[in-house]
Amino acid sequence: MTPRRSSPLPPCRCPCTPPARADFEGQACLSLAEAAAILKESEERRAAPGTEQQLHPSTRKALRYAERFRRGEEAGAAQARKALEASGLRPFEAGALATLAPETAEVAMALQPSIQLGPEELQSSLDQLAANLTFS
């Protein structure tokens, strides 16, 4: 009986590993506050008089999740995400940081290892992020 050869491990698909294809390169990545605003608008459109459409149950669950875990209001989150992108972060990194709102550069780099900014520049961006987020 010959031993079975194990197959090699599949490639890592975590966010810190660049994707094999650049399908999402240059695409916007929303924060939860921005996603909540878009889903809420969709819910309100469907609830308007004369329309009989309702949100799909999974869309309703996504809305409730986004509303529960968002950090700040949509306008402040959008402004914060754009400021993060302007500081040199990629769209995914900016969207993730706008959602998670870490207080220190060390925590931000632990949460998103692909960040290429220096600690001082990142901390400055995080301070600006905290100032832009408004909570209801």
Side-chain angles (χ1 to χ4, degrees), residues 39-105:
L39 291 170
K40 186 70 175 169
E41 181 182 314
S42 177
E43 180 183 54
E44 290 169 356
R45 263 195 321 238
R46 290 172 187 248
T51 59
E52 297 177 13
Q53 296 178 333
Q54 292 187 355
L55 283 181
H56 189 275
S58 61
T59 306
R60 190 178 320 283
K61 285 181 184 180
L63 171 60
R64 299 301 168 240
Y65 177 89
E67 287 179 333
R68 181 175 181 190
F69 294 107
R70 70 183 180 179
R71 304 283 301 219
E73 296 297 322
E74 188 254 341
Q79 182 180 3
R81 181 182 51 79
K82 289 176 184 174
L84 288 170
E85 287 179 11
S87 72
L89 293 173
R90 289 182 280 184
F92 175 79
E93 296 165 341
L97 292 182
T99 293
L100 299 171
E103 294 181 6
T104 65

Side-chain angles (χ1 to χ4, degrees), residues 92-118:
F92 175 79
E93 296 165 341
L97 292 182
T99 293
L100 299 171
E103 294 181 6
T104 65
E106 183 178 320
V107 171
M109 292 173 103
L111 291 171
Q112 192 60 51
S114 64
I115 293 174
Q116 300 294 317
L117 296 179

